[in-house]
């Protein structure tokens, strides 16, 4: 049904609007049932809003759920009998009971199992079919529909806590986990995937087989973070999922590295999505999962001899780039910038331990450059050094970073031209800062993590400090130079 022409789309909508299975008698019964369900849902929401949260936590069932699996997502209520089923178990119920009409509880749209589509109940019902048409075709309302929309239109103001701006409780030295969750939750590219129910326990083979799936637990976290609840959230399911992961060393209540936790989550998402969609590596790309589509890029590593021009090139995939920092010179009050760090990363460097050139026996040099850029670029600053007593001491060098970062000077093409003495006229490649993870403290073992995030829907910066969420200014975000630990940039398109 994708890529329908406008004429075909309109004709198809009219065709589905007139469901052939809706006789006058069935319509009347369905409308009465639909009104009753609507009143029930309104009463349920009103009563739930009056119940204290500590009481709700002790209630086994807080609302409608699937009669087969107990799932709370994408529920449909039969218009023929008081039966509730999730999307996965609705077909078996319809087949067994010859019930073909149901209503989707979140949107109150009527679904016909025989048409395999969402349908009109009468001419005033504007519950058009969105699956297959709404995302690909453009709906143009008729005069009658436009009048109905104007008559019943309501101004809706979504409060900030309903837009993902929700604090996270510290469960015992878990600030490292809170900041990374906020980075994922408040990324529009990531929330698009999770909030459209593309991965959930009901369609995950890992969860169905009793295996641990980090992606499923992150899906639950996304749902809770975008709920209307104002109170801080406790991501217990995700934390226990990380603990149960056999390859994870993040278990326990001692302080952990936010960058390491970020890498563990990416690996968990990669495994979950690869299993869910049965993905395989193809061609030069390591994987076609969402993680690699958003964070995946490629580095070019050139090993060359400047005397005889011998060169070998290797492509290295990456999900994040770690940048070294110079030590602080307190006498000069010195600092550096993220551009200087990237330039140092891409500079020619001698490799004293590398084998000599096979042609002329001279020392080889290495140069890194970015060959393929990701949609989301994570820059990790190496702020911790391993000491003799196994303590990871912090490097407190001030690092300045801009809101807009031009990555063109660090791409393979411009670097090769510069190395060959050619003029580079490449256009700027702009990335915009959307998140900064901060580490406050003198070592890994006794520090605290906070983060600044540019909220996509409100276009404001916010500071997240565990359960506390507050507005932040741009100067506050960019002035945090000695604490910045991870920088997240999104490509400007």
């Amino acid at each position: 049904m994708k890529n329908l022409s406008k004429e075909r789309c309109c004709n198809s909508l009219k065709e589905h609007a007139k469901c052939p299975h809706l006789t006058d008698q069935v319509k009347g019964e369905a409308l009465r049932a639909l009104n009753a369900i609507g009143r029930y849902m309104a009463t349920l929401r009103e009563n739930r809003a009056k119940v204290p949260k500590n009481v709700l936590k002790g209630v086994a069932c807080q609302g409608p759920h699937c009669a087969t699996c107990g799932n709370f997502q994408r529920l449909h209520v039969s218009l023929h009998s008081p039966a509730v089923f999730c999307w996965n178990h609705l077909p078996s119920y319809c087949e067994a009971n010859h019930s073909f009409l149901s209503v989707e509880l979140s949107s109150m749209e009527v679904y016909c199992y025989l048409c395999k589509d969402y349908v009109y109940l009468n001419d005033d019902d504007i519950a058009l079919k969105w699956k297959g048409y709404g995302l690909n075709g453009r709906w143009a309302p008729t005069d009658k529909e436009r009048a109905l929309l104007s008559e019943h239109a309501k101004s809706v103001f979504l409060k900030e806590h309903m837009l993902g701006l929700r604090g996270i409780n510290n469960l015992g030295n878990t600030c490292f986990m809170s900041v990374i969750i906020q980075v994922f939750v408040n990324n529009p590219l990531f929330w698009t995937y999770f909030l459209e129910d593309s991965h959930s326990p009901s369609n995950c083979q890992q969860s169905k087989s009793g295996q641990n799936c980090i992606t499923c637990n992150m899906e639950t976290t996304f749902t809770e973070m975008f709920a209307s609840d104002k109170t801080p959230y406790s991501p217990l399911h995700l934390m226990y999922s990380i603990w149960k992961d056999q390859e994870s060393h993040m278990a326990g209540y001692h302080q952990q590295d936010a960058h390491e936790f970020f890498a563990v989550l990416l690996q968990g998402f990669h495994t979950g999505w690869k299993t869910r969609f049965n993905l395989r590596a193809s061609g030069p790309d390591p994987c076609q999962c969402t993680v690699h589509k958003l964070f995946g890029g490629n580095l070019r590593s050139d090993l060359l001899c400047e005397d005889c021009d011998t060169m070998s090139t290797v492509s290295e995939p990456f999900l994040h780039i770690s940048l070294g920092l110079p030590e602080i010179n307190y006498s000069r009050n010195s600092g550096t910038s993220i551009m200087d760090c990237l330039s140092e990363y891409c500079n020619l460097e001698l490799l004293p331990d590398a084998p000599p050139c096979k042609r002329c026996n001279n020392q080889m040099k290495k140069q890194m450059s970015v060959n393929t850029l990701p949609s989301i670029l994570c820059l990790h600053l190496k702020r911790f050094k391993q000491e003799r007593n196994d303590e990871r001491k912090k490097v407190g060098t001030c690092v300045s970073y801009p809101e807009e970062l031009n990555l063109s000077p660090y791409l393979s093409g411009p670097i090769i031209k510069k190395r060959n003495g050619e003029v580079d006229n490449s256009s700027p490649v702009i990335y915009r800062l959307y998140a900064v993870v901060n580490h406050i403290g003198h070592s890994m073992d006794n520090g605290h993590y906070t983060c600044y995030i540019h909220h996509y829907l409100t276009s404001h910066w916010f500071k997240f400090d565990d359960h506390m969420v507050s507005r932040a200014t741009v100067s506050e975000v960019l002035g945090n130079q000695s604490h910045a630990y991870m920088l997240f940039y999104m490509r400007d398109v």
Side-chain angles (χ1 to χ4, degrees):
M1 295 183 181
K2 295 181 178 180
N3 300 322
L4 292 172
S5 65
K6 183 177 181 180
E7 180 180 357
R8 185 182 171 191
C9 181
C10 293
N11 291 337
S12 298
L13 284 173
K14 293 177 182 178
E15 193 176 305
H16 283 280
K18 299 177 181 179
C19 173
H21 309 103
L22 289 175
T23 63
D24 292 338
Q25 180 180 356
V26 172
K27 281 185 182 180
E29 295 174 354
L31 281 171
R32 285 191 291 273
L34 183 63
N35 290 333
I37 293 171
R39 290 195 299 272
Y40 166 74
M41 291 301 295
T43 304
L44 179 66
R45 294 190 184 99
E46 182 180 353
N47 290 340
R48 278 173 53 83
K50 299 176 182 178
V51 180
K53 297 299 178 183
N54 59 345
V55 176
L56 279 178
K57 290 180 180 178
V59 180
C61 177
Q62 301 178 15
H65 60 283
C66 177
T68 301
C69 65
N71 192 3
F72 290 87
Q73 296 181 340
R74 204 174 179 185
L75 296 179
H76 285 68
V77 180
S78 172
L79 292 180
H80 303 279
S81 60
V84 182
F85 292 93
C86 67
W87 182 253
N88 292 331
H89 296 106
L90 179 65
S92 57
Y93 170 79
C94 293
E95 292 284 356
N97 296 274
H98 304 289
S99 300
F100 63 93
L101 282 181
S102 62
V103 58
E104 206 277 333
L105 282 183
S106 63
S107 63
M108 297 303 290
E109 294 183 2
V110 177
Y111 179 77
C112 177
Y113 176 71
L114 300 179
C115 292
K116 298 292 190 294
D117 208 349
Y118 291 91
V119 298
Y120 284 113
L121 276 184
N122 57 32
D123 292 338
D124 294 333
D125 181 11
I126 313 179
L128 289 175
K129 175 188 183 295
W130 292 103
K131 296 291 183 181
Y133 294 107
L135 298 179
N136 300 299
R138 183 182 296 274
W139 170 63
T142 64
D143 292 338
K144 185 174 183 180
E145 289 170 337
R146 189 176 288 106
L148 284 169
L149 290 172
S150 300
E151 180 182 352
H152 299 287
K154 295 180 180 179
S155 297
V156 179
F157 175 72
L158 295 178
K159 296 183 179 180
E160 290 176 349
H161 70 270
M162 298 177 66
L163 303 174
L165 295 176
R166 186 177 181 184
I168 296 178
N169 287 317
N170 194 317
L171 306 176
N173 286 327
T174 56
C175 54
F176 70 94
M177 178 173 65
S178 300
V179 293
I180 299 301
I181 291 176
Q182 296 288 8
V183 167
F184 281 122
V185 166
N186 288 285
N187 183 289
L189 300 179
F190 245 74
W191 84 44
T192 299
Y193 178 86
F194 276 104
L195 296 183
E196 69 179 7
D197 198 26
S198 294
H199 190 108
S200 65
S202 60
N203 60 29
C204 175
Q205 296 302 319
Q206 278 185 275
S207 293
K208 286 183 178 180
S209 61
Q211 300 179 46
N212 179 44
C213 180
I214 294 176
T215 314
C216 286
N217 288 285
M218 190 64 181
E219 191 271 345
T220 302
T221 301
F222 261 82
T223 302
E224 292 295 332
M225 292 294 287
F226 277 86
S228 58
D229 194 347
K230 296 180 181 180
T231 59
Y233 174 61
S234 298
L236 292 171
H237 294 287
L238 182 62
M239 184 177 71
Y240 292 149
S241 179
I242 297 293
W243 287 10
K244 287 190 294 183
D245 188 44
Q246 294 181 358
E247 299 179 359
S248 174
H249 56 280
M250 313 297 290
Y253 290 102
H254 50 281
Q255 184 65 279
Q256 299 282 2
D257 185 357
H259 176 246
E260 292 181 18
F261 181 73
F262 173 72
V264 168
L265 273 189
L266 286 184
Q267 179 60 39
F269 297 158
H270 163 72
T271 302
W273 282 323
K274 185 174 64 174
T275 305
R276 163 76 176 88
F277 296 105
N278 195 27
L279 296 173
R280 296 289 184 272
S282 60
D285 299 323
C287 181
Q288 296 300 312
C289 74
T290 305
V291 165
H292 286 87
K293 286 182 178 179
L294 297 182
F295 288 92
N298 272 285
L299 296 171
R300 174 181 170 131
S301 175
D302 292 334
L303 191 62
L304 55 95
C305 175
E306 293 184 306
D307 295 309
C308 65
D309 294 332
T310 298
M311 185 177 70
S312 62
T313 300
V314 177
S315 179
E316 302 177 7
F318 73 89
L319 295 175
H320 40 88
I321 297 177
S322 295
L323 302 174
L325 295 178
E327 293 284 355
I328 297 178
N329 188 332
Y330 288 102
S331 61
R332 298 180 183 178
N333 194 24
S334 61
T336 187
S337 69
I338 196 66
M339 290 76 74
D340 291 336
C341 294
L342 284 167
S343 297
E344 184 66 26
Y345 183 81
C346 296
N347 275 345
L348 269 172
E349 60 176 340
L350 288 173
L351 297 177
D353 298 330
C357 175
K358 294 181 179 180
R359 180 181 295 180
C360 66
N361 206 37
N362 285 325
Q363 199 170 18
M364 303 287 285
K365 290 185 177 181
K366 180 181 178 180
Q367 185 167 34
M368 301 293 296
S369 59
V370 182
N371 202 28
T372 305
L373 284 166
S375 298
I376 305 171
L377 177 64
C378 171
L379 298 176
H380 162 237
L381 303 179
K382 295 180 180 179
R383 284 208 178 271
F384 300 105
K385 283 192 355 179
Q386 195 77 27
E387 297 291 317
R388 292 182 179 179
N389 58 358
D390 291 334
E391 182 185 17
R392 286 194 284 181
K393 186 179 179 182
K394 184 176 178 180
V395 178
T397 304
C398 289
V399 181
S400 62
Y401 45 91
E403 269 197 288
E404 293 187 0
L405 178 62
N406 179 20
L407 289 174
S408 178
Y410 319 108
L411 298 181
S412 299
I415 284 180
I416 293 173
K417 287 184 178 180
K418 181 179 179 181
R419 194 168 65 206
N420 295 335
E422 302 175 14
V423 178
D424 175 44
N425 296 318
S426 302
S427 301
V429 180
I430 303 299
Y431 275 67
R432 294 185 183 276
L433 185 70
Y434 96 89
V436 180
V437 171
N438 315 301
H439 180 273
I440 304 168
H442 299 290
S443 71
M444 175 63 68
D445 301 322
N446 60 12
H448 178 63
Y449 288 99
T450 64
C451 66
Y452 294 107
I453 293 178
H454 185 263
H455 192 241
Y456 179 74
L457 295 178
T458 60
S459 297
H460 295 306
W461 281 97
F462 287 86
K463 181 181 180 180
F464 294 83
D465 186 353
D466 285 333
H467 64 283
M468 296 182 292
V469 182
S470 57
R471 281 282 296 274
T473 62
V474 175
S475 58
E476 181 182 354
V477 174
L478 301 182
N480 192 48
Q481 299 180 2
S482 63
H483 300 313
Y485 182 47
M486 299 174 70
L487 305 174
F488 292 85
Y489 284 87
M490 289 181 61
R491 187 161 191 166
D492 189 15
V493 293

